[in-house]
Amino acid sequence: MRYAHIIQLFIAFVMSKALEVSAQQDPMFSQYMFNTLSINPAYAGSADRLSLVGIHRSQWVKFDGAPVTQTVTAHAPLIFENISVGGSIINDQHGPVKQTAVFADVSYRIFFDNSRLAFGLKGGGNLYSANLTALNPLQADDQAFQANISTKFLANFGFGVMWYSKRGFIGASTPRLLQNKLLEAELPDFRNNTERIHGFLIAGYVWDLSNYVKFKPTILLKAVNGTPPGFDVTTQFLFYDKLWMGAMYRWNDAVGVLVQYEINNKLKFGYAYDYITSDIGRYTSGSHELMIGYDLVRPGRGDVSPRYF
């Protein structure tokens, strides 16, 4: 009960901090359930092996200046398995803005009979730049577009908590807590000139429908002040512990499909397609996402499989 109370307090803190600021800045992924480390450092070590994941996302295809994002994450438990480490690199470009975030993660895990409770810390920074003078504003002398943001390093840190078992998980996190200033100049119409604090709550569970079919619903809640709280709901079916197929709904934005195939207990490939339901859908053919994952088991441990998240 003590640990459950800690989780409740932490989740309340995360969501309250997220609602103090505004506007979604962090890249989003439809295959978020396989890229959890990028938003929650407590996920490090959850695979009980060295786990690597790479994702490429092309958002709003055919839309000029649409976001294009790549991410690579890696994590593993240390010899003392209570401690796990990991890291992530996220490269994102949308319009004139380019940013590359590099973060290291460490988690401390408490072992129970059939589950784990992990607390994680994330630290690193973001290389941020914006070629604002290349834009064509309606007002030619708009001061906000008279100077570029040259590449600058924005140090940051975050933390998270996660409980998980073989079949289920729930976690809350704020991956960036510092509100770094993006542009040094004080411009009258540039008040939202800082990085935003984002809050995430993620949860999922796996049920057996038969000896060969499993069902896994997951949800990702996102909170940032100035925009309505958002969420992604995903339902997936696993056939013969090899093939994942499912559908996704993103609040007021998109619906989509996901598929993933596990070549063996180490290598897997995934693909997701989003059909845009918001107004921007009239100008794009949708969003595409490719994923590759590889797990490396420590010698002498044998395969720890299957993995459900």
Side-chain angles (χ1 to χ4, degrees), residues 142-161:
D142 192 328
Q143 294 182 358
F145 301 97
Q146 299 305 306
N148 293 327
I149 303 176
S150 57
T151 302
K152 59 189 303 185
F153 180 74
L154 307 172
N156 221 315
F157 73 97
F159 55 97
V161 63

Side-chain angles (χ1 to χ4, degrees), residues 245-263:
M245 299 184 69
M248 176 274 298
Y249 172 73
R250 180 173 300 119
W251 174 252
N252 281 341
D253 181 65
V255 294
V257 294
L258 305 89
V259 61
Q260 181 190 117
Y261 186 73
E262 300 189 8
I263 305 298

Side-chain angles (χ1 to χ4, degrees), residues 5 20 23 29-30 35 37 42 46 64 70 77 85 109-110 112 160 175 187 211 220 239 247 250 258 267 273 295:
H5 185 60
E20 291 178 1
F29 298 95
S30 295
N35 188 44
L37 186 67
S46 61
D64 190 24
Q70 301 86 30
V85 296
R109 301 192 292 169
I110 300 172
F112 302 103
L187 300 175
N211 290 334
L220 176 67
F239 301 94
R250 180 173 300 119
L258 305 89
L267 183 63
Y273 171 75
D295 293 336

Side-chain angles (χ1 to χ4, degrees), residues 103-301:
F103 281 86
D105 306 277
V106 60
S107 72
Y108 178 79
R109 301 192 292 169
I110 300 172
F111 288 75
F112 302 103
D113 289 341
N114 298 305
S115 64
R116 314 277 192 270
L117 177 62
F119 301 89
L121 293 175
K122 178 184 289 287
N126 188 21
L127 292 172
Y128 185 95
S129 64
N131 186 19
L132 301 179
T133 59
L135 298 175
N136 296 309
L138 294 177
Q139 183 178 339
D141 59 349
D142 192 328
Q143 294 182 358
F145 301 97
Q146 299 305 306
N148 293 327
I149 303 176
S150 57
T151 302
K152 59 189 303 185
F153 180 74
L154 307 172
N156 221 315
F157 73 97
F159 55 97
V161 63
M162 177 170 282
W163 172 89
Y164 56 90
S165 65
K166 184 178 179 181
R167 292 297 184 112
F169 63 96
I170 181 171
S173 61
T174 53
R176 304 184 195 185
L177 280 170
L178 300 181
Q179 300 179 59
N180 292 303
K181 200 171 183 179
L182 302 178
L183 189 64
E184 297 302 327
E186 294 292 343
L187 300 175
D189 296 321
F190 217 76
R191 292 181 295 273
N192 297 324
N193 182 25
T194 60
E195 289 188 299
R196 308 288 184 243
I197 300 175
H198 292 60
F200 297 94
L201 176 64
I202 185 172
Y205 197 81
V206 175
W207 282 276
D208 289 326
L209 298 184
S210 71
N211 290 334
Y212 308 107
V213 181
K214 295 178 175 63
F215 173 62
K216 182 180 75 171
T218 56
I219 185 169
L220 176 67
L221 302 177
K222 300 167 281 189
V224 188
N225 189 34
T227 60
F231 64 87
D232 291 22
V233 176
T234 305
T235 58
Q236 292 177 288
F237 294 89
L238 175 60
F239 301 94
Y240 295 92
D241 285 335
K242 285 286 187 182
L243 177 64
W244 289 98
M245 299 184 69
M248 176 274 298
Y249 172 73
R250 180 173 300 119
W251 174 252
N252 281 341
D253 181 65
V255 294
V257 294
L258 305 89
V259 61
Q260 181 190 117
Y261 186 73
E262 300 189 8
I263 305 298
N264 49 45
N265 290 334
K266 298 179 180 179
L267 183 63
K268 57 191 174 185
F269 294 93
Y271 169 76
Y273 171 75
D274 299 356
Y275 175 80
I276 310 303
T277 58
S278 61
D279 290 341
I280 202 172
R282 290 177 291 178
Y283 309 101
T284 173
S285 59
S287 303
H288 301 272
E289 198 172 284
L290 297 173
M291 186 273 287
I292 180 171
Y294 186 79
D295 293 336
L296 184 61
V297 180
R298 196 164 64 217
R301 290 282 315 265

